[in-house]
Amino acid sequence: MPITFEIEDDELLREWYEKGRIEGLNEYRNEGRLEALATILRVQLPQKFGPLTPAHEDRINGATYEELEVWILRVLPATSIDEIFN
């Protein structure tokens, strides 16, 4: 017979549950922000420079949040797509 616990009845379980819930929400938010920045680049770059190469797609897909932010700021002044990623 399985043993069950009511989270509401155990302070430690309640704390672990809440901590896990918050960490999970933060992780999903961060992933969403990362994907949003990558999407901005995937839309802006082809409009300015033409189709993205697989290498450029790979760079965007593997980028950190900070890299994506920097690259987005480079789009307007850039005269070539290489200026974005260098």
Side-chain angles (χ1 to χ4, degrees), residues 60-73:
I60 292 169
N61 292 336
T64 65
Y65 186 87
E66 291 78 17
E67 288 173 316
L68 292 169
E69 282 186 316
V70 168
W71 295 343
I72 287 170
L73 293 174

